Amino acid sequence: MIAFNHVTKSYSEDKIAVKDVNFTVEEGKIVVLLGPSGCGKTTLLRMVNRLESISDGEIIIGNENSMDLDAIELRRKIGYVIQSNGLFPNMTIEENVMLVPDLLGWSKKQKKERFTYLMKLIGLDAADYRKRFPHELSGGQQQRIGVVRALAADPPVMLMDEPFGALDPIIRERIQDEFLQIQREVKKTILFVSHDIDEAIKMADKIVLLRDGEIMQYDTPSEMLAHPKNEFVSQFFGKDRAIKSLSLHTVQNLQEIIGLAPIDETIQDTKTINVNQDLRNTLSMLMNQEADQVVVTNDQGENIGSITIDLVQKYLHFEIKGKLSVSQEG
Ligand SMILES: Nc1ncnc2c1ncn2[C@@H]1O[C@H](COP(=O)(O)OP(=O)(O)OP(=O)(O)O)[C@@H](O)[C@H]1O
Ligand SMILES: [Mg+2]
């Protein structure tokens, strides 16, 4: 657990970067700090591991006040992924990943086992990559290494500052999925910075939306999309809030509420989608292909019906827009 209690940070008398911030990251959850450039996201993160001092208020990690902990000790217990992956160019991949375990005095055998386990998590062959240097990896692979390096000593808390920021959209989505998969297994308490709305909606259990160092809203993604607390929040998520929130719903949700359409066997080359896929992906599939149906399959790979633009629209209208409290105008 990480709790921010009335946390304020001023860099100078007239530069207040964070103003009276209150929120809690529950054990095993991902909270995304979202907001425009300069709103104080990195500052908040760096106060947790004491790379930045706190001007007022306190940060509680587990049961302890961060100020009562030894700063070096604290940083070893907190995994930190910085934006540009921060790998050391002159160290091998194994040396980079095992940096903190090395500092903690792990044995050679322990380190080797851990390295092999971590590489497996990100789908890279440990033997193949062990002795390579960062420049011998692709950008996406380097970012994965940055992430597992933060996981290396199995810290309960992770701070991730735009960890996938430098990646192109397709690789980025893949790494997000992969990371969520890993998180289901390791259940870390994570504070994650992003300025990308789609990424925040996808990754967050809860979002902290900031403006000029102040929290505008702290809520689950679906609550924030459905019930923005003020004009700033609603403007920030934009007019297509409803479409964005499709990514929080699956084909199965639609099936349960309005049912699937029968499969039109006369349509050739129909694409298929798994029933657990989200509706935003489904919509983009429908919009990108000529045919007007996508066949839905269950986990056994059986065709169980089809989905059409009409159905997605219907669902959007009744299930999503029906629940939006603020109108879509403006
Ligand atoms: N060391 C510093 N000294 C003075 N002002 C600073 C310092 N670091 C950050 N600031 C200011 O504090 C505010 C918040 O900065 P911060 O880096 O936390 O923003 P951010 O939300 O992470 O932005 P970005 O999305 O661009 O990374 C900004 O106005 C910034 O100029
Ligand atoms: Mg920043």
Side-chain angles (χ1 to χ4, degrees):
M1 193 250 338
I2 314 168
F4 291 78
N5 296 330
H6 300 288
V7 172
T8 292
K9 170 73 186 180
S10 39
Y11 283 107
S12 61
E13 247 168 59
D14 55 353
K15 180 70 235 176
I16 301 178
V18 169
K19 287 176 211 147
D20 193 26
V21 157
N22 295 287
F23 71 94
T24 301
V25 189
E26 302 292 345
E27 205 83 44
K29 301 286 184 197
I30 302 179
V31 168
V32 173
L33 300 174
L34 179 67
S37 184
C39 69
K41 306 180 293 291
T42 298
T43 302
L44 272 170
L45 218 59
R46 288 167 60 86
M47 280 191 283
V48 177
N49 60 8
R50 303 218 351 230
L51 291 169
E52 225 41 274
S53 63
I54 303 169
S55 308
D56 205 1
E58 56 182 20
I59 299 176
I60 309 291
I61 303 166
N63 304 316
E64 290 177 290
N65 190 317
S66 65
M67 297 311 288
D68 296 338
L69 297 162
D70 175 66
I72 304 294
E73 190 72 6
L74 183 71
R75 276 170 223 155
R76 284 185 194 158
K77 287 187 192 149
I78 298 178
Y80 185 34
V81 186
I82 61 173
Q83 181 161 4
S84 58
N85 82 44
L87 300 179
F88 295 103
N90 301 323
M91 288 166 76
T92 65
I93 297 304
E94 184 172 31
E95 287 164 349
N96 263 291
V97 173
M98 287 297 118
L99 206 62
V100 175
D102 212 34
L103 290 170
L104 294 173
W106 289 24
S107 73
K108 259 198 166 129
K109 181 165 173 286
Q110 271 179 310
K111 282 190 286 185
K112 192 165 178 187
E113 278 173 14
R114 183 72 181 157
F115 181 72
T116 305
Y117 167 80
L118 290 168
M119 294 298 277
K120 206 169 166 190
L121 274 185
I122 51 170
L124 296 178
D125 182 56
D128 188 2
Y129 286 86
R130 170 169 286 124
K131 298 277 175 246
R132 292 204 207 182
F133 289 91
H135 74 268
E136 297 170 304
L137 271 63
S138 74
Q141 289 168 337
Q142 290 180 25
Q143 294 233 314
R144 287 178 166 92
I145 298 294
V147 170
V148 290
R149 181 173 68 172
L151 281 168
D154 207 14
V157 172
M158 301 258 288
L159 306 174
M160 306 178 76
D161 198 344
E162 306 212 25
F164 314 133
L167 300 175
D168 69 61
I170 292 173
I171 308 238
R172 188 173 186 169
E173 269 202 44
R174 204 177 304 149
I175 296 190
Q176 288 165 346
D177 290 337
E178 182 179 283
F179 185 73
L180 287 174
Q181 195 74 38
I182 295 173
Q183 168 66 355
R184 262 174 235 131
E185 197 171 313
V186 298
K187 298 203 173 59
K188 303 293 178 193
T189 303
I190 299 172
L191 200 51
F192 186 113
V193 168
S194 181
H195 62 242
D196 182 89
I197 294 174
D198 293 321
E199 178 170 79
I201 293 173
K202 179 168 179 177
M203 304 300 287
D205 291 299
K206 280 185 155 186
I207 294 174
V208 171
L209 182 59
L210 293 155
R211 179 179 67 170
D212 296 340
E214 284 182 273
I215 296 186
M216 293 290 107
Q217 189 161 352
Y218 175 46
D219 245 320
T220 61
S222 57
E223 267 304 298
M224 209 174 278
L225 286 161
H227 305 294
K229 267 194 176 157
N230 55 46
E231 195 52 30
F232 176 80
V233 181
S234 114
Q235 290 281 339
F236 189 84
F237 284 99
K239 282 190 200 141
D240 54 346
R241 260 168 38 226
I243 303 233
K244 291 196 176 95
S245 59
L246 277 177
S247 64
L248 295 164
H249 298 253
T250 63
V251 175
Q252 183 154 11
N253 295 142
L254 179 146
Q255 182 192 15
E256 281 160 9
I257 289 163
I258 52 178
L260 297 174
I263 298 171
D264 181 345
E265 303 285 356
T266 63
I267 298 177
Q268 305 285 308
D269 297 332
T270 300
K271 288 207 178 107
T272 62
I273 195 160
N274 181 276
V275 71
N276 297 313
Q277 278 283 325
D278 73 65
L279 286 175
R280 195 159 177 205
N281 271 340
T282 312
L283 182 62
S284 55
M285 272 177 84
L286 283 163
M287 285 164 55
N288 293 337
Q289 77 173 114
E290 265 113 79
D292 57 2
Q293 74 169 355
V294 169
V295 169
V296 179
T297 59
N298 62 16
D299 286 334
Q300 286 73 47
E302 298 155 348
N303 296 345
I304 56 172
S306 81
I307 197 161
T308 59
I309 293 232
D310 269 4
L311 280 185
V312 178
Q313 271 175 340
K314 223 185 209 170
Y315 186 84
L316 192 64
H317 192 72
F318 292 109
E319 254 320 284
I320 300 180
K321 286 197 180 160
K323 289 180 182 163
L324 296 184
S325 63
V326 177
S327 77
Q328 292 292 298
E329 292 111 58

